[in-house]
Amino acid sequence: MSAMRYERPGTLEAAVALLSGATGAARVLAGGTDLLVQMRTGRIEPQLLVDCKDIPEMTAIVADDGGFRFGAATPCMALVEHEAFTKACPGVIDGVKLIGSIQVKGRASVGGNVCNASPAADSVPALIAAGAVATIIGPGGRRETRVENIATGPGKTSLARDEILVSLLVPRKPPHSADAYLRFTPRTEMDIAVVSAGVNLTLDRDGVCRKARVSLGAVAERALLVSEAGAALIGTTVDEAALEKLAAAAAAACKPIDDKRGTKAYRIKVAGVLARRAAQIALDRARKVN
Amino acid sequence: MAKHHVTATLNGSPVEFLCETQQTLLEVLRDELNLTGTKEGCATGDCGACSVTVGGRLVCSCLVLGAEVEGKRIETIEGMASGTELHPLQQKFLEHAALQCGICTPGMLIAARSLLERKPDPTEEEVRYWLAGNLCRCTGYNKIVDAVLAAAGEMRRA
Ligand SMILES: Cc1cc2nc3c(=O)[nH]c(=O)nc-3n(C[C@H](O)[C@H](O)[C@H](O)COP(=O)(O)OP(=O)(O)OC[C@H]3O[C@@H](n4cnc5c(N)ncnc54)[C@H](O)[C@@H]3O)c2cc1C
Ligand code: FES
Ligand code: FES
């Protein structure tokens, strides 16, 4: 039996030093809901696990200039149970709530969801639409990047082997703004997205859309930020014609796979429908908030 | 490498054990501590048979490492009854015939208790949503949901 090391550092610096000093495969351990399953099936055999849940910054949820910053290792249930967070970030919560059962959400983190880099990860399109910014730490210090720059393909990220995703900032929304996330699955619960869509939009006082970000999941190697789909809404009252254009732009951006869960043509069609429905929910929510 | 020496609180009492890094909390409970009430259905987080709480949070013990629970408070099915007096949830599961083979039952009970701690008066929909991570191959779920709602009612009156 290979001896696998387990460390639980109390500071980010110590965690980075452990990863930098590792000779074999090393992994950050957050909730373990992906990692432990991958270890059990033999897909990965790390020699070092760096459990980051004792690092206070990695599990804190703090209001930040009207937005929210939360630690990358915060369990999803802690976000779901945080009233102010759910109110400020409804689209992100739509995504987070879909991550497995209550038990899975008791452990699973958004940081793990992002870093596991599944194209179907449910928090990711919602975060991208919300314009979320990731803080990453490595031996050279801290850096920031948008969430859409993290996953590079299935299971692959732009993080170096000794970098850690520390926290995610969901920026403050301007007045009359809201977001929403929807996924389509063959079953109603406990399933992997075949297509998913996140939409975040801002209206002006006359109800005209001034900003819109649209992101699609599970229709390409990684979640996509579809600027043409956002552009279709800007300058409109998000009427029928604008929603039609948004759906067409969303469908055009897809580069999906064919598998038993859905054919290419099906995923492309559903992507347009879902983007449109998510936009409608975001619109209804934006009209309700001031 | 030496095994991890872990101390924690289990069902209110201090507990100590040794484990390898890859040993899950479920394996520690069953194989090291001989507490076989917590079941293994899948070992991949899908079935909920291994449900326990760690630090008050409902989790799948098959997706937690033994080494991770150092200093933590763990609750398992063995701590649910007080001596020979069953918890209202256990009593209602019996009265409503909410179990057949019983493999899912400890996980169902632990998950249901965790719901009632947060929501003493859940709707049927809330019960079904909360228990969606607990699979049962026998009962068809209706009797389980009825039992949880009945126990909630009794606990509110108590
Ligand atoms: C039964 C079940 C159902 C599920 N259903 C869904 C679902 O519906 N939708 C969905 O999106 N996902 C689902 N998942 C997948 C999983 O729960 C999520 O991807 C989860 O968010 C991963 O987070 P974690 O904290 O458990 O990550 P871990 O397993 O701890 O880590 C995942 C990966 O990310 C790396 N990592 C973690 N944190 C960091 C960090 N801070 N910095 C750098 N690297 C890091 C790890 O090294 C590892 O490679 C499900 C899983 C299970 C077991
Ligand atoms: S054994 Fe843990 S969820 Fe099935
Ligand atoms: S009683 Fe048999 S699995 Fe539920």
Side-chain angles (χ1 to χ4, degrees):
Chain A
M1 194 191 300
S2 72
M4 193 194 329
R5 231 173 111 199
Y6 168 85
E7 298 290 344
R8 195 180 177 103
T11 65
L12 286 169
E13 293 66 31
V16 170
L18 280 164
L19 292 173
S20 295
T23 43
R27 284 285 191 286
V28 169
L29 172 66
T33 60
D34 283 316
L35 197 53
L36 266 50
V37 175
Q38 289 160 8
M39 280 161 50
R40 177 159 295 258
T41 55
R43 232 179 86 193
I44 51 165
E45 282 180 48
Q47 277 156 34
L48 169 66
L49 295 180
V50 180
D51 184 344
C52 286
K53 294 188 291 294
D54 265 0
I55 301 170
E57 199 182 335
M58 288 195 64
T59 55
I61 309 174
V62 283
D64 185 313
D65 189 27
F68 268 98
R69 179 178 292 283
F70 62 96
T74 309
C76 289
M77 277 312 276
L79 294 172
V80 172
E81 288 170 357
H82 194 294
E83 254 175 66
F85 183 89
T86 56
K87 238 183 121 197
C89 313
V92 172
I93 283 293
D94 287 342
V96 165
K97 274 191 172 167
L98 290 167
I99 299 178
S101 59
I102 306 291
Q103 286 88 332
V104 168
K105 283 192 277 277
R107 291 266 296 168
S109 66
V110 171
N113 199 231
V114 171
C115 292
N116 190 59
S118 157
D122 279 306
S123 72
V124 175
L127 289 167
I128 293 175
V133 179
T135 296
I136 295 162
I137 194 165
R142 290 179 183 237
R143 66 183 177 95
E144 290 194 339
T145 190
R146 295 260 194 172
V147 169
E148 55 268 34
N149 300 325
I150 296 185
T152 53
K156 295 202 171 64
T157 72
S158 56
L159 268 63
R161 47 176 285 278
D162 50 5
E163 282 189 316
I164 300 170
L165 174 55
V166 179
S167 63
L168 293 145
L169 172 71
V170 184
R172 176 173 61 88
K173 290 187 177 49
H176 312 295
S177 303
D179 53 0
Y181 171 81
L182 279 181
R183 75 171 181 187
F184 179 79
T185 57
R187 301 194 302 168
T188 53
E189 282 292 331
M190 309 297 141
D191 205 347
I192 303 167
V194 169
V195 176
S196 66
V199 176
N200 180 27
L201 51 80
T202 298
L203 306 174
D204 66 15
R205 247 183 291 156
D206 304 319
V208 175
C209 179
R210 291 298 164 199
K211 281 193 211 157
R213 282 170 72 87
V214 176
S215 175
L216 297 176
V219 293
E221 294 239 286
R222 58 190 175 120
L224 303 173
L225 173 66
V226 188
S227 34
E228 301 77 21
L233 301 182
I234 294 172
T236 76
T237 54
V238 193
D239 53 8
E240 186 55 36
L243 288 169
E244 209 44 59
K245 252 180 95 182
L246 158 94
C254 299
K255 297 177 208 70
I257 52 165
D258 254 321
D259 70 6
K260 62 175 193 286
R261 306 162 49 76
T263 62
K264 271 187 198 171
Y266 180 71
R267 285 173 196 250
I268 289 171
K269 167 108 184 149
V270 176
V273 174
L274 271 199
R276 193 194 158 116
R277 287 187 192 164
Q280 187 66 53
I281 297 172
L283 178 67
D284 295 344
R285 286 176 178 168
R287 284 179 175 155
K288 278 194 206 115
V289 295
N290 41 17
Chain B
M1 195 183 138
K3 287 189 173 189
H4 303 281
H5 177 218
V6 179
T7 47
T9 306
L10 179 63
N11 298 325
S13 306
V15 66
E16 275 184 69
F17 58 84
L18 294 173
C19 70
E20 308 274 357
T21 300
Q22 54 271 31
Q23 265 181 300
T24 63
L25 175 58
L26 176 62
E27 288 164 343
V28 167
L29 288 170
R30 293 182 57 87
D31 305 339
E32 306 295 329
L33 301 171
N34 297 322
L35 292 175
T36 53
T38 307
K39 306 301 181 197
E40 176 177 294
C42 65
T44 50
D46 293 289
C47 77
C50 65
S51 297
V52 302
T53 62
V54 177
R57 256 197 207 295
L58 183 66
V59 299
C60 296
S61 59
C62 71
L63 293 185
V64 177
L65 296 175
E68 284 184 81
V69 302
E70 170 66 39
K72 296 280 190 317
R73 209 162 32 84
I74 305 152
E75 302 275 342
T76 68
I77 188 64
E78 284 85 357
M80 200 154 184
S82 323
T84 55
E85 196 188 326
L86 294 181
H87 186 280
L89 277 163
Q90 293 173 307
Q91 189 58 44
K92 291 295 170 198
F93 266 56
L94 288 176
E95 287 169 18
H96 286 257
L99 65 152
Q100 290 177 30
C101 79
I103 284 284
C104 70
T105 314
M108 287 283 183
L109 288 166
I110 288 288
R113 184 176 66 179
S114 155
L115 168 65
L116 298 187
E117 279 165 10
R118 286 165 176 78
K119 255 194 191 354
D121 192 8
T123 62
E124 179 186 332
E125 193 183 345
E126 284 167 338
V127 173
R128 288 189 187 273
Y129 179 77
W130 190 273
L131 296 180
N134 293 80
L135 303 187
C136 176
R137 299 289 284 176
C138 306
T139 65
Y141 300 102
N142 287 344
K143 292 176 177 189
I144 291 173
V145 174
D146 290 346
V148 173
L149 289 169
E154 180 162 310
M155 287 163 73
R156 284 197 306 278
R157 282 191 295 276

PDB file of all heavy atoms in Angstrom, chain A residues 70-97:
ATOM      1  N   PHE A  70     -16.597  34.722  -0.690  1.00  0.00           N
ATOM      2  CA  PHE A  70     -16.659  33.501   0.126  1.00  0.00           C
ATOM      3  C   PHE A  70     -15.463  32.604  -0.152  1.00  0.00           C
ATOM      4  O   PHE A  70     -14.926  32.551  -1.255  1.00  0.00           O
ATOM      5  CB  PHE A  70     -17.979  32.744  -0.065  1.00  0.00           C
ATOM      6  CG  PHE A  70     -18.226  32.247  -1.469  1.00  0.00           C
ATOM      7  CD1 PHE A  70     -17.900  30.942  -1.807  1.00  0.00           C
ATOM      8  CD2 PHE A  70     -18.786  33.066  -2.431  1.00  0.00           C
ATOM      9  CE1 PHE A  70     -18.120  30.458  -3.089  1.00  0.00           C
ATOM     10  CE2 PHE A  70     -19.014  32.598  -3.724  1.00  0.00           C
ATOM     11  CZ  PHE A  70     -18.678  31.299  -4.050  1.00  0.00           C
ATOM     12  N   GLY A  71     -15.027  31.916   0.913  1.00  0.00           N
ATOM     13  CA  GLY A  71     -13.877  31.024   0.818  1.00  0.00           C
ATOM     14  C   GLY A  71     -14.157  29.889  -0.144  1.00  0.00           C
ATOM     15  O   GLY A  71     -15.268  29.358  -0.186  1.00  0.00           O
ATOM     16  N   ALA A  72     -13.137  29.516  -0.925  1.00  0.00           N
ATOM     17  CA  ALA A  72     -13.314  28.493  -1.950  1.00  0.00           C
ATOM     18  C   ALA A  72     -13.709  27.143  -1.355  1.00  0.00           C
ATOM     19  O   ALA A  72     -14.323  26.328  -2.029  1.00  0.00           O
ATOM     20  CB  ALA A  72     -12.032  28.347  -2.773  1.00  0.00           C
ATOM     21  N   ALA A  73     -13.367  26.888  -0.088  1.00  0.00           N
ATOM     22  CA  ALA A  73     -13.669  25.583   0.528  1.00  0.00           C
ATOM     23  C   ALA A  73     -14.951  25.612   1.362  1.00  0.00           C
ATOM     24  O   ALA A  73     -15.280  24.617   2.010  1.00  0.00           O
ATOM     25  CB  ALA A  73     -12.489  25.128   1.386  1.00  0.00           C
ATOM     26  N   THR A  74     -15.674  26.727   1.349  1.00  0.00           N
ATOM     27  CA  THR A  74     -16.940  26.819   2.094  1.00  0.00           C
ATOM     28  C   THR A  74     -17.906  25.744   1.596  1.00  0.00           C
ATOM     29  O   THR A  74     -18.139  25.648   0.392  1.00  0.00           O
ATOM     30  CB  THR A  74     -17.596  28.198   1.827  1.00  0.00           C
ATOM     31  OG1 THR A  74     -16.629  29.210   2.054  1.00  0.00           O
ATOM     32  CG2 THR A  74     -18.810  28.425   2.706  1.00  0.00           C
ATOM     33  N   PRO A  75     -18.495  24.943   2.489  1.00  0.00           N
ATOM     34  CA  PRO A  75     -19.458  23.964   1.987  1.00  0.00           C
ATOM     35  C   PRO A  75     -20.679  24.645   1.386  1.00  0.00           C
ATOM     36  O   PRO A  75     -21.131  25.681   1.870  1.00  0.00           O
ATOM     37  CB  PRO A  75     -19.851  23.140   3.228  1.00  0.00           C
ATOM     38  CG  PRO A  75     -19.258  23.798   4.399  1.00  0.00           C
ATOM     39  CD  PRO A  75     -18.288  24.851   3.941  1.00  0.00           C
ATOM     40  N   CYS A  76     -21.224  24.059   0.333  1.00  0.00           N
ATOM     41  CA  CYS A  76     -22.388  24.643  -0.348  1.00  0.00           C
ATOM     42  C   CYS A  76     -23.536  24.898   0.624  1.00  0.00           C
ATOM     43  O   CYS A  76     -24.234  25.909   0.503  1.00  0.00           O
ATOM     44  CB  CYS A  76     -22.857  23.702  -1.462  1.00  0.00           C
ATOM     45  SG  CYS A  76     -21.720  23.646  -2.843  1.00  0.00           S
ATOM     46  N   MET A  77     -23.747  24.004   1.588  1.00  0.00           N
ATOM     47  CA  MET A  77     -24.867  24.205   2.516  1.00  0.00           C
ATOM     48  C   MET A  77     -24.706  25.483   3.323  1.00  0.00           C
ATOM     49  O   MET A  77     -25.693  26.108   3.697  1.00  0.00           O
ATOM     50  CB  MET A  77     -25.037  22.995   3.450  1.00  0.00           C
ATOM     51  CG  MET A  77     -25.829  21.838   2.859  1.00  0.00           C
ATOM     52  SD  MET A  77     -27.380  22.299   2.063  1.00  0.00           S
ATOM     53  CE  MET A  77     -28.468  22.361   3.467  1.00  0.00           C
ATOM     54  N   ALA A  78     -23.462  25.862   3.624  1.00  0.00           N
ATOM     55  CA  ALA A  78     -23.252  27.099   4.382  1.00  0.00           C
ATOM     56  C   ALA A  78     -23.686  28.302   3.546  1.00  0.00           C
ATOM     57  O   ALA A  78     -24.221  29.277   4.076  1.00  0.00           O
ATOM     58  CB  ALA A  78     -21.792  27.224   4.797  1.00  0.00           C
ATOM     59  N   LEU A  79     -23.502  28.227   2.232  1.00  0.00           N
ATOM     60  CA  LEU A  79     -23.958  29.315   1.350  1.00  0.00           C
ATOM     61  C   LEU A  79     -25.477  29.307   1.257  1.00  0.00           C
ATOM     62  O   LEU A  79     -26.127  30.347   1.356  1.00  0.00           O
ATOM     63  CB  LEU A  79     -23.353  29.156  -0.047  1.00  0.00           C
ATOM     64  CG  LEU A  79     -21.831  29.325  -0.156  1.00  0.00           C
ATOM     65  CD1 LEU A  79     -21.347  28.940  -1.548  1.00  0.00           C
ATOM     66  CD2 LEU A  79     -21.429  30.758   0.154  1.00  0.00           C
ATOM     67  N   VAL A  80     -26.048  28.114   1.088  1.00  0.00           N
ATOM     68  CA  VAL A  80     -27.508  27.994   0.953  1.00  0.00           C
ATOM     69  C   VAL A  80     -28.197  28.513   2.212  1.00  0.00           C
ATOM     70  O   VAL A  80     -29.266  29.113   2.144  1.00  0.00           O
ATOM     71  CB  VAL A  80     -27.898  26.516   0.686  1.00  0.00           C
ATOM     72  CG1 VAL A  80     -29.403  26.325   0.737  1.00  0.00           C
ATOM     73  CG2 VAL A  80     -27.352  26.064  -0.672  1.00  0.00           C
ATOM     74  N   GLU A  81     -27.586  28.284   3.374  1.00  0.00           N
ATOM     75  CA  GLU A  81     -28.210  28.699   4.645  1.00  0.00           C
ATOM     76  C   GLU A  81     -27.909  30.157   5.008  1.00  0.00           C
ATOM     77  O   GLU A  81     -28.393  30.647   6.017  1.00  0.00           O
ATOM     78  CB  GLU A  81     -27.738  27.770   5.778  1.00  0.00           C
ATOM     79  CG  GLU A  81     -28.346  26.374   5.671  1.00  0.00           C
ATOM     80  CD  GLU A  81     -27.730  25.365   6.625  1.00  0.00           C
ATOM     81  OE1 GLU A  81     -26.765  25.719   7.349  1.00  0.00           O
ATOM     82  OE2 GLU A  81     -28.211  24.217   6.644  1.00  0.00           O
ATOM     83  N   HIS A  82     -27.091  30.844   4.216  1.00  0.00           N
ATOM     84  CA  HIS A  82     -26.711  32.229   4.508  1.00  0.00           C
ATOM     85  C   HIS A  82     -27.720  33.158   3.828  1.00  0.00           C
ATOM     86  O   HIS A  82     -27.668  33.360   2.615  1.00  0.00           O
ATOM     87  CB  HIS A  82     -25.295  32.475   3.979  1.00  0.00           C
ATOM     88  CG  HIS A  82     -24.664  33.727   4.493  1.00  0.00           C
ATOM     89  ND1 HIS A  82     -25.129  34.979   4.192  1.00  0.00           N
ATOM     90  CD2 HIS A  82     -23.600  33.916   5.305  1.00  0.00           C
ATOM     91  CE1 HIS A  82     -24.364  35.887   4.786  1.00  0.00           C
ATOM     92  NE2 HIS A  82     -23.430  35.260   5.474  1.00  0.00           N
ATOM     93  N   GLU A  83     -28.639  33.719   4.620  1.00  0.00           N
ATOM     94  CA  GLU A  83     -29.756  34.450   4.032  1.00  0.00           C
ATOM     95  C   GLU A  83     -29.329  35.634   3.168  1.00  0.00           C
ATOM     96  O   GLU A  83     -29.837  35.831   2.063  1.00  0.00           O
ATOM     97  CB  GLU A  83     -30.695  34.937   5.125  1.00  0.00           C
ATOM     98  CG  GLU A  83     -31.974  34.136   5.176  1.00  0.00           C
ATOM     99  CD  GLU A  83     -32.846  34.542   6.340  1.00  0.00           C
ATOM    100  OE1 GLU A  83     -33.332  35.689   6.324  1.00  0.00           O
ATOM    101  OE2 GLU A  83     -33.014  33.715   7.256  1.00  0.00           O
ATOM    102  N   ALA A  84     -28.407  36.440   3.695  1.00  0.00           N
ATOM    103  CA  ALA A  84     -27.991  37.633   2.952  1.00  0.00           C
ATOM    104  C   ALA A  84     -27.301  37.230   1.647  1.00  0.00           C
ATOM    105  O   ALA A  84     -27.488  37.874   0.605  1.00  0.00           O
ATOM    106  CB  ALA A  84     -27.062  38.496   3.810  1.00  0.00           C
ATOM    107  N   PHE A  85     -26.529  36.156   1.693  1.00  0.00           N
ATOM    108  CA  PHE A  85     -25.856  35.696   0.477  1.00  0.00           C
ATOM    109  C   PHE A  85     -26.876  35.237  -0.561  1.00  0.00           C
ATOM    110  O   PHE A  85     -26.789  35.595  -1.737  1.00  0.00           O
ATOM    111  CB  PHE A  85     -24.871  34.553   0.795  1.00  0.00           C
ATOM    112  CG  PHE A  85     -24.091  34.092  -0.406  1.00  0.00           C
ATOM    113  CD1 PHE A  85     -22.889  34.685  -0.722  1.00  0.00           C
ATOM    114  CD2 PHE A  85     -24.569  33.088  -1.242  1.00  0.00           C
ATOM    115  CE1 PHE A  85     -22.169  34.292  -1.848  1.00  0.00           C
ATOM    116  CE2 PHE A  85     -23.873  32.690  -2.372  1.00  0.00           C
ATOM    117  CZ  PHE A  85     -22.665  33.296  -2.672  1.00  0.00           C
ATOM    118  N   THR A  86     -27.857  34.462  -0.136  1.00  0.00           N
ATOM    119  CA  THR A  86     -28.831  33.949  -1.101  1.00  0.00           C
ATOM    120  C   THR A  86     -29.628  35.097  -1.725  1.00  0.00           C
ATOM    121  O   THR A  86     -30.000  35.031  -2.888  1.00  0.00           O
ATOM    122  CB  THR A  86     -29.827  32.952  -0.461  1.00  0.00           C
ATOM    123  OG1 THR A  86     -30.465  33.592   0.636  1.00  0.00           O
ATOM    124  CG2 THR A  86     -29.159  31.713   0.036  1.00  0.00           C
ATOM    125  N   LYS A  87     -29.850  36.145  -0.936  1.00  0.00           N
ATOM    126  CA  LYS A  87     -30.592  37.295  -1.459  1.00  0.00           C
ATOM    127  C   LYS A  87     -29.757  38.075  -2.473  1.00  0.00           C
ATOM    128  O   LYS A  87     -30.265  38.502  -3.507  1.00  0.00           O
ATOM    129  CB  LYS A  87     -30.971  38.218  -0.302  1.00  0.00           C
ATOM    130  CG  LYS A  87     -32.473  38.419  -0.223  1.00  0.00           C
ATOM    131  CD  LYS A  87     -32.863  39.385   0.861  1.00  0.00           C
ATOM    132  CE  LYS A  87     -33.612  40.554   0.246  1.00  0.00           C
ATOM    133  NZ  LYS A  87     -33.671  41.698   1.153  1.00  0.00           N
ATOM    134  N   ALA A  88     -28.465  38.235  -2.168  1.00  0.00           N
ATOM    135  CA  ALA A  88     -27.599  39.039  -3.031  1.00  0.00           C
ATOM    136  C   ALA A  88     -27.194  38.278  -4.294  1.00  0.00           C
ATOM    137  O   ALA A  88     -26.893  38.895  -5.314  1.00  0.00           O
ATOM    138  CB  ALA A  88     -26.362  39.487  -2.251  1.00  0.00           C
ATOM    139  N   CYS A  89     -27.145  36.966  -4.215  1.00  0.00           N
ATOM    140  CA  CYS A  89     -26.600  36.168  -5.327  1.00  0.00           C
ATOM    141  C   CYS A  89     -27.568  35.051  -5.731  1.00  0.00           C
ATOM    142  O   CYS A  89     -27.220  33.861  -5.686  1.00  0.00           O
ATOM    143  CB  CYS A  89     -25.264  35.549  -4.922  1.00  0.00           C
ATOM    144  SG  CYS A  89     -24.120  36.676  -4.123  1.00  0.00           S
ATOM    145  N   PRO A  90     -28.781  35.395  -6.169  1.00  0.00           N
ATOM    146  CA  PRO A  90     -29.772  34.341  -6.435  1.00  0.00           C
ATOM    147  C   PRO A  90     -29.352  33.365  -7.538  1.00  0.00           C
ATOM    148  O   PRO A  90     -29.626  32.163  -7.434  1.00  0.00           O
ATOM    149  CB  PRO A  90     -31.028  35.129  -6.843  1.00  0.00           C
ATOM    150  CG  PRO A  90     -30.551  36.486  -7.246  1.00  0.00           C
ATOM    151  CD  PRO A  90     -29.320  36.739  -6.431  1.00  0.00           C
ATOM    152  N   GLY A  91     -28.687  33.854  -8.566  1.00  0.00           N
ATOM    153  CA  GLY A  91     -28.286  32.970  -9.663  1.00  0.00           C
ATOM    154  C   GLY A  91     -27.219  31.980  -9.222  1.00  0.00           C
ATOM    155  O   GLY A  91     -27.260  30.794  -9.580  1.00  0.00           O
ATOM    156  N   VAL A  92     -26.261  32.466  -8.433  1.00  0.00           N
ATOM    157  CA  VAL A  92     -25.207  31.573  -7.936  1.00  0.00           C
ATOM    158  C   VAL A  92     -25.836  30.511  -7.045  1.00  0.00           C
ATOM    159  O   VAL A  92     -25.500  29.315  -7.137  1.00  0.00           O
ATOM    160  CB  VAL A  92     -24.114  32.372  -7.180  1.00  0.00           C
ATOM    161  CG1 VAL A  92     -23.123  31.435  -6.501  1.00  0.00           C
ATOM    162  CG2 VAL A  92     -23.390  33.313  -8.150  1.00  0.00           C
ATOM    163  N   ILE A  93     -26.805  30.917  -6.220  1.00  0.00           N
ATOM    164  CA  ILE A  93     -27.477  29.948  -5.344  1.00  0.00           C
ATOM    165  C   ILE A  93     -28.301  28.946  -6.155  1.00  0.00           C
ATOM    166  O   ILE A  93     -28.342  27.760  -5.831  1.00  0.00           O
ATOM    167  CB  ILE A  93     -28.329  30.678  -4.283  1.00  0.00           C
ATOM    168  CG1 ILE A  93     -27.414  31.222  -3.189  1.00  0.00           C
ATOM    169  CG2 ILE A  93     -29.396  29.780  -3.678  1.00  0.00           C
ATOM    170  CD1 ILE A  93     -26.731  30.163  -2.332  1.00  0.00           C
ATOM    171  N   ASP A  94     -28.920  29.397  -7.260  1.00  0.00           N
ATOM    172  CA  ASP A  94     -29.621  28.443  -8.149  1.00  0.00           C
ATOM    173  C   ASP A  94     -28.670  27.311  -8.525  1.00  0.00           C
ATOM    174  O   ASP A  94     -29.044  26.134  -8.516  1.00  0.00           O
ATOM    175  CB  ASP A  94     -30.048  29.111  -9.471  1.00  0.00           C
ATOM    176  CG  ASP A  94     -31.223  30.074  -9.317  1.00  0.00           C
ATOM    177  OD1 ASP A  94     -31.934  30.011  -8.312  1.00  0.00           O
ATOM    178  OD2 ASP A  94     -31.398  30.903 -10.248  1.00  0.00           O
ATOM    179  N   GLY A  95     -27.438  27.661  -8.884  1.00  0.00           N
ATOM    180  CA  GLY A  95     -26.449  26.657  -9.291  1.00  0.00           C
ATOM    181  C   GLY A  95     -25.988  25.811  -8.120  1.00  0.00           C
ATOM    182  O   GLY A  95     -25.955  24.571  -8.200  1.00  0.00           O
ATOM    183  N   VAL A  96     -25.647  26.463  -7.017  1.00  0.00           N
ATOM    184  CA  VAL A  96     -25.113  25.760  -5.843  1.00  0.00           C
ATOM    185  C   VAL A  96     -26.126  24.741  -5.313  1.00  0.00           C
ATOM    186  O   VAL A  96     -25.777  23.628  -4.941  1.00  0.00           O
ATOM    187  CB  VAL A  96     -24.729  26.789  -4.755  1.00  0.00           C
ATOM    188  CG1 VAL A  96     -24.518  26.131  -3.405  1.00  0.00           C
ATOM    189  CG2 VAL A  96     -23.485  27.559  -5.185  1.00  0.00           C
ATOM    190  N   LYS A  97     -27.402  25.117  -5.323  1.00  0.00           N
ATOM    191  CA  LYS A  97     -28.438  24.228  -4.794  1.00  0.00           C
ATOM    192  C   LYS A  97     -28.546  22.921  -5.576  1.00  0.00           C
ATOM    193  O   LYS A  97     -29.057  21.931  -5.064  1.00  0.00           O
ATOM    194  CB  LYS A  97     -29.804  24.929  -4.862  1.00  0.00           C
ATOM    195  CG  LYS A  97     -30.095  25.798  -3.663  1.00  0.00           C
ATOM    196  CD  LYS A  97     -31.558  26.202  -3.719  1.00  0.00           C
ATOM    197  CE  LYS A  97     -31.973  26.914  -2.453  1.00  0.00           C
ATOM    198  NZ  LYS A  97     -33.275  27.577  -2.626  1.00  0.00           N
TER     199      LYS A  97
END
